[in-house]
């Protein structure tokens, strides 16, 4: 509550928590729901920062975009 100026929409200056997927999950759900589990997360944004997690090396890389 009271954070409308910081969150709630994609606008310059607001925080963004979101993911970028390899495929359109809504289209895959319509055409071949069994393949939803094949969709990969390409990038994750938390608090407006790109956060990449590498499972094989268990390293977290954070890039801050201005």
């Amino acid at each position: 509550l009271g954070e409308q100026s910081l969150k709630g929409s994609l606008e310059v200056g607001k925080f963004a928590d979101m993911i970028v997927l390899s495929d359109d999950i809504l289209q895959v759900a319509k055409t071949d729901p069994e393949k939803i589990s094949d969709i990969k997360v390409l990038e994750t944004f938390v608090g407006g920062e790109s956060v990449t997690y590498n499972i094989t090396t268990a390293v977290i890389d954070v890039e801050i975009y201005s």
Side-chain angles (χ1 to χ4, degrees):
L1 293 168
E3 295 185 342
Q4 294 86 350
S5 63
L6 300 174
K7 302 177 183 178
S9 61
L10 292 176
E11 296 179 42
V12 174
K14 290 190 175 183
F15 292 112
D17 291 352
M18 63 183 183
I19 57 174
V20 177
L21 300 174
S22 61
D23 295 282
D24 180 344
I25 195 167
L26 299 176
Q27 187 63 34
V28 173
K30 288 181 190 176
T31 59
D32 197 354
E34 292 181 12
K35 295 208 174 198
I36 289 175
S37 62
D38 295 335
I39 296 174
K40 306 288 185 247
V41 176
L42 302 178
E43 192 164 10
T44 303
F45 291 87
V46 178
E49 298 178 358
S50 175
V51 179
T52 305
Y53 182 74
N54 184 332
I55 294 173
T56 58
T57 59
V59 172
I60 298 176
D61 297 320
V62 177
E63 295 180 39
I64 300 174
Y65 293 92
S66 320

